[in-house]
Amino acid sequence: MAERSTAAVDVADNSGEQSLTAQADQSTADGVAKNREQDTDSDAAQENTGTNGSEKTSPLELHSGHKLARRYRLEECVTRLDGFSSWRAVDEMLRRAVGVHILPADHSRARSVLAAARSSALLGDPRFVQVLDAVEEDDIVYVVHEWLPDATELTALLAAGPLEVYDAYQMASQISSAMAAAHRGGLAHLRLNPNAVLRTSTGQWRIRGLAVNAALRGIDSDTPQRADTESIGALLYAALTQRWPYESDAYGLSGLPKDIGLIPPDQVRAGVHRGLSELAMRALANDGATASRHESPCTTPEELVKAIGEMPRIRPPEPAFTTPPDYQRTTYQQGSYGRPAPRPGVRVTQPVPVPPPPLQSRTGKALKWAVSALLIAALGLGSWQLADALIGQGSNADDTDKTQTTDEGDKSGNKPKPAEPLTVQGAQEYVAKGGAQSPENVANTYDGDSSTYWRTKSFLDGPEMNPAYKPGVGIVYDLGTEQTVESSSIDLRYTGDHTTITLYATDSAGSSTPISSMEKLGTVTTTGNKAAVKVGKPVKTRYVLVWLTAMPMAPGDSYSAPGYKQAITDLKFTG
């Protein structure tokens, strides 16, 4: 089951750079990855940053199935270069895929890799692939990071052609904002290339390898902000033209023709957006100069963010609606079923069907008179019944001393008391095992706003939750005083598979009372986005636990990975 894993990191000195003081963030990506991490041995030749020379260390003899810390099982080696290796692995404790970089502890870059990983983890920005663990153990150093199941590398996207204008604009905007935040925290990337930029299924752009990828290869720069800004310009250039803005080929893209220099994207390919073309040129370094028609160059991600904000906003394309095909009558409807096909050149005129003659025979006339008589009789009977009902109501109104008699023989005349809504005074998560889900959002379930919600984590097991790891998730609601609870209506965010919800009466709002000591009020299973739990026998209680033990499979959205999950948007109790 996939829950957030706190990164085991400490604040570290990074060669005199300002260390971060924030706490390590947590990971949100779960599942099995679709895309392998790729790397290029010649990447150093495609960067304009300097590299620190280091002696090469022979790679560790690792193999698929090897376990680190009795937790991370190595599955597939995706990079083996310069004394270190990168693997796709499985976190057996949280049952999710992760990525792992491994190098010997005596490697000349081991200390800088650990410092970079720990500093990156402390940034905690969801726009970056998160570092989950950075450990030195048993003569090796390894860094564990998220493995996104729904993400596609920019390299793969560009293999199919240039990006659409709106996608290129969003990429430049999101990557620039993320790198500006990283530099404010004292971190640089220095290897920001198409392999390091990912687009998720929800259209969000994320960056992997912040500080760590450069440390693994010994890359350093005296002007890190300028280096990262130029890299963003190269990414935008490639997204607009499907060409790498240098003479050498790289990342599956062809470079520019030799001896012509750096030309604007709108001169490389027709139809390129003029504003984005100029933005790419302002970010790219060309011996410190830009073409005369461009504005001043952007030398930091912050300046690039400002330049993007000053551009006219590029709106997403309108959804394309295809015109439905004209209605075609079938051969059977045309009345030619079973007829031979006409010879070419012979025009066939379809006969117009003649409507059947009216009922003019003697039998027809008799049938019409019979139907008319039946209609008259029915009208007369209906009028008599209506008059009798009105007279009966008048008699009952005059005699107020008489009691009404129901079909079941109940002569009391007492009507059941209608159910009234119960007001929720407060709520908090109930955690039976493991970590909390989203405790800061529990109030969204009873605020009357269907656009806000409380959402669970994404789980790999489902629809039924695995009791060994997480028996269920839920919220305890405080009704203020003891109330008689008769039912609950719950609006859900996700449909499909099935959702199972059970109500319990408990004696406190905390998680100290076990489920086995609570009184079960009712349960329901639904595949839709609404659930109504009926209480078999109304019970008086102040605290009610809404407990979820099964959830449907749902896609990734808004920083939530795909998996088995559910969200409550609105909830009401009646009593």
Side-chain angles (χ1 to χ4, degrees):
M1 172 178 344
E3 288 189 52
R4 293 194 172 193
S5 170
T6 303
V9 296
D10 298 315
V11 178
D13 249 349
N14 194 3
S15 303
E17 293 183 6
Q18 181 182 0
S19 58
L20 298 177
T21 57
Q23 292 299 318
D25 199 12
Q26 299 170 323
S27 164
T28 58
D30 307 307
V32 179
K34 300 176 183 175
N35 307 304
R36 289 184 51 180
E37 291 195 64
Q38 299 180 353
D39 218 326
T40 308
D41 291 355
S42 60
D43 283 349
Q46 296 155 1
E47 303 281 343
N48 289 334
T49 56
T51 60
N52 294 330
S54 62
E55 60 182 67
K56 292 190 177 181
T57 305
S58 58
L60 297 170
E61 293 299 327
L62 300 173
H63 55 83
S64 298
H66 182 86
K67 285 188 182 180
L68 301 174
R70 294 184 295 179
R71 173 176 180 177
Y72 304 112
R73 186 180 74 248
L74 303 183
E75 293 287 319
E76 179 184 11
C77 182
V78 294
T79 302
R80 194 181 297 274
L81 176 69
D82 201 11
F84 73 89
S85 58
S86 299
W87 294 75
R88 177 176 60 83
V90 174
D91 182 348
E92 294 188 335
M93 180 177 294
L94 298 181
R95 304 178 66 185
R96 64 177 174 185
V98 294
V100 183
H101 301 303
I102 306 174
L103 68 165
D106 59 354
H107 195 287
S108 59
R109 302 172 193 154
R111 301 274 76 79
S112 59
V113 169
L114 275 177
R118 290 167 175 170
S119 298
S120 176
L122 290 173
L123 181 62
D125 192 320
R127 293 171 293 189
F128 295 93
V129 174
Q130 299 293 294
V131 172
L132 308 177
D133 228 340
V135 179
E136 180 179 359
E137 182 181 75
D138 297 334
D139 298 327
I140 64 171
V141 168
Y142 62 88
V143 176
V144 184
H145 61 85
E146 285 182 294
W147 189 279
L148 304 182
D150 64 336
T152 306
E153 289 181 358
L154 180 59
T155 310
L157 297 174
L158 293 180
L163 299 186
E164 296 292 335
V165 175
Y166 178 74
D167 291 335
Y169 169 76
Q170 284 294 315
M171 182 204 69
S173 177
Q174 294 182 30
I175 298 299
S176 300
S177 298
M179 288 309 306
H183 281 282
R184 286 194 297 269
L187 293 173
H189 196 291
L190 303 183
R191 293 200 75 250
L192 195 57
N193 55 48
N195 288 339
V197 176
L198 312 172
R199 186 174 70 178
T200 66
S201 59
T202 58
Q204 294 171 327
W205 294 89
R206 298 187 68 178
I207 303 170
R208 69 180 169 199
L210 177 66
V212 176
N213 282 3
L216 285 169
R217 291 160 180 82
I219 297 174
D220 197 4
S221 173
D222 295 331
T223 56
Q225 296 206 49
R226 185 70 189 93
D228 283 341
T229 305
E230 182 181 355
S231 297
I232 298 172
L235 293 173
L236 179 57
Y237 196 106
L240 296 173
T241 64
Q242 203 184 9
R243 300 287 292 266
W244 193 237
Y246 306 102
E247 292 185 353
S248 58
D249 299 344
Y251 312 108
L253 302 173
S254 301
L256 297 178
K258 298 183 183 300
D259 303 325
I260 67 169
L262 181 62
I263 58 177
D266 54 1
Q267 295 181 19
V268 176
R269 176 174 168 265
V272 172
H273 188 275
R274 178 70 175 272
L276 292 178
S277 175
E278 294 186 356
L279 185 68
M281 293 299 290
R282 292 178 64 183
L284 283 167
N286 187 13
D287 295 330
T290 56
S292 58
R293 70 188 178 102
H294 300 135
E295 299 180 21
S296 59
C298 298
T299 58
T300 66
E302 200 74 54
E303 292 178 0
L304 200 55
V305 171
K306 183 179 179 181
I308 294 173
E310 293 172 351
M311 287 178 54
R313 184 179 178 186
I314 299 176
R315 298 188 177 276
E318 295 292 335
F321 296 98
T322 57
T323 304
D326 294 336
Y327 174 71
Q328 300 291 334
R329 294 177 63 87
T330 63
T331 303
Y332 177 78
Q333 291 171 325
Q334 293 173 348
S336 59
Y337 177 75
R339 298 179 185 176
R343 294 191 302 272
V346 179
R347 184 176 179 181
V348 179
T349 303
Q350 293 291 341
V352 179
V354 180
L359 300 174
Q360 296 295 338
S361 62
R362 180 178 299 177
T363 304
K365 292 181 179 180
L367 183 59
K368 288 192 292 184
W369 281 110
V371 172
S372 301
L374 288 174
L375 288 174
I376 294 172
L379 289 173
L381 180 61
S383 301
W384 176 78
Q385 289 180 338
L386 178 61
D388 184 64
L390 292 174
I391 294 172
Q393 289 181 0
S395 300
N396 292 338
D398 293 338
D399 188 5
T400 56
D401 295 334
K402 295 182 180 179
T403 59
Q404 297 179 355
T405 304
T406 63
D407 293 339
E408 293 78 16
D410 181 13
K411 296 183 180 181
S412 64
N414 294 330
K415 295 183 179 180
K417 182 181 179 181
E420 296 181 355
L422 303 178
T423 303
V424 176
Q425 302 294 335
Q428 67 181 62
E429 276 197 20
Y430 181 90
V431 182
K433 191 174 185 179
Q437 304 300 297
S438 183
E440 69 277 7
N441 293 322
V442 293
N444 293 339
T445 61
Y446 59 92
D447 62 356
D449 185 356
S450 59
S451 64
T452 60
Y453 51 84
W454 166 87
R455 177 168 56 197
T456 70
K457 298 284 191 294
S458 298
F459 296 88
L460 295 180
D461 293 331
E464 302 291 340
M465 300 185 70
N466 190 336
Y469 295 93
K470 197 81 170 171
V473 293
I475 301 174
V476 176
Y477 292 90
D478 182 2
L479 303 179
T481 59
E482 282 198 350
Q483 303 283 346
T484 301
V485 180
E486 296 183 354
S487 65
S488 176
S489 62
I490 305 169
D491 291 348
L492 307 171
R493 181 175 173 83
Y494 304 111
T495 61
D497 294 334
H498 65 272
T499 302
T500 300
I501 303 176
T502 305
L503 298 188
Y504 290 95
T506 180
D507 57 3
S508 70
S511 303
S512 58
T513 304
I515 297 288
S516 57
S517 301
M518 300 181 187
E519 182 176 356
K520 183 177 179 180
L521 303 181
T523 187
V524 69
T525 299
T526 179
T527 58
N529 58 1
K530 291 184 180 295
V533 184
K534 301 290 185 182
V535 179
K537 180 182 178 182
V539 174
K540 271 198 168 187
T541 181
R542 175 177 175 177
Y543 302 102
V544 180
L545 169 63
V546 177
W547 190 237
L548 283 72
T549 55
M551 296 177 288
M553 171 61 74
D557 61 342
S558 301
Y559 303 110
S560 174
Y564 292 94
K565 57 185 177 180
Q566 189 53 274
I568 298 176
T569 60
D570 281 303
L571 178 141
K572 295 182 178 64
F573 294 106
T574 56

